[in-house]
């Protein structure tokens, strides 16, 4: 919960939420609710959820990465989002690799999935670098996403 303010500030940036399809700017109260009702609930219910990402030297919160079980699709998804001044440094790739290692070595998952809007070139490039392959397109709440799959 100590990351509510930094998460709120990150999501205020329209470039950060441009392709995230989750409503853009939200209030501090809504961010508090999302962390409590989504991320903390995931840890309580499934034993894992998204990870906060911090700079090693400053412990500053710079974004999130990691896994999320999607009950509607019965699969585990890799997601990531970082404050704009930390883009382009390989952080999504580095933290994505760590999340995949955790998925296979600790959780013993058979596959991990990921979703991106087709126009989100940076996210799709990260998936390619991590070894995801295009699976199919899906429509979720009226929005078309590319679905990718990763094999260990
Ligand atoms: C997508 C995101 C997580 C990438 O994080 P990052 O730490 O910058 O990623 P990396 O540095 O590991 O890799 C980015 C790659 O994308 C490439 N890239 C950047 N913008 C691009 C674009 N518009 N089209 C294609 N490739 C692009 C970079 O050149 C780099 O590839 P390279 O190493 O081959 O040069 C970051 O931009 C972000 O937080 N975006 C906002 C939230 C978001 O869209 N999340 C994903 C939702 S599916």
């Amino acid at each position: 919960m100590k990351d509510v303010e930094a998460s709120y500030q990150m999501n205020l940036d329209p470039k950060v939420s441009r392709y995230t399809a989750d409503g853009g700017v939200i209030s501090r109260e809504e961010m508090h609710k999302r962390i409590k009702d989504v991320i903390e609930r995931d840890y309580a219910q499934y034993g894992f959820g998204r990870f906060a990402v911090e700079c090693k030297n400053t412990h500053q919160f710079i974004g999130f990465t990691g896994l999320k079980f999607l009950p509607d699709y019965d699969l585990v998804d890799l997601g990531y989002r970082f404050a704009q001044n930390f883009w382009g440094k390989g952080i999504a790739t580095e933290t994505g690799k760590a999340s995949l290692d955790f998925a296979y070595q600790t959780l013993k998952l058979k596959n991990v999935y990921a979703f991106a809007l087709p126009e989100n070139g940076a996210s799709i490039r990260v998936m390619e670098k991590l070894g995801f392959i295009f699976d199919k397109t899906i429509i979720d709440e009226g929005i078309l996403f590319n679905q990718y799959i990763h094999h260990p």
Side-chain angles (χ1 to χ4, degrees), residues 32-95:
H32 185 279
K33 197 167 156 7
R34 277 194 199 175
I35 293 179
K36 191 172 186 315
D37 296 352
V38 179
I39 298 179
E40 289 197 341
R41 186 210 57 194
D42 282 348
Y43 275 90
Q45 203 165 344
Y46 307 120
F48 66 91
R50 301 289 197 219
F51 294 119
V53 178
E54 294 184 341
C55 277
K56 273 186 184 165
N57 51 352
T58 62
H59 300 291
Q60 177 194 0
F61 171 93
I62 60 168
F64 70 74
T65 190
L67 307 173
K68 181 170 175 46
F69 177 62
L70 304 181
D72 291 350
Y73 293 93
D74 192 26
L75 56 80
V76 173
D77 153 83
L78 174 69
Y80 32 66
R81 189 180 306 182
F82 302 101
Q84 200 189 146
N85 47 344
F86 292 92
W87 292 2
K89 300 174 192 293
I91 295 172
T93 309
E94 178 186 340
T95 57

Side-chain angles (χ1 to χ4, degrees), residues 15-17 19-20 80-83 86-94 115-117 120-123 125-127 129:
K15 287 207 173 132
V16 167
S17 42
Y19 300 122
T20 54
Y80 32 66
R81 189 180 306 182
F82 302 101
F86 292 92
W87 292 2
K89 300 174 192 293
I91 295 172
T93 309
E94 178 186 340
F115 299 88
L117 297 181
N120 193 350
S123 180
R125 177 74 190 123
V126 170
M127 287 178 206
K129 290 198 289 179

Side-chain angles (χ1 to χ4, degrees), residues 10 18 33 81 85 92 109 116 131 134 151:
M10 176 176 78
R18 183 169 175 198
K33 197 167 156 7
R81 189 180 306 182
N85 47 344
L109 299 182
F134 177 78
H151 301 280

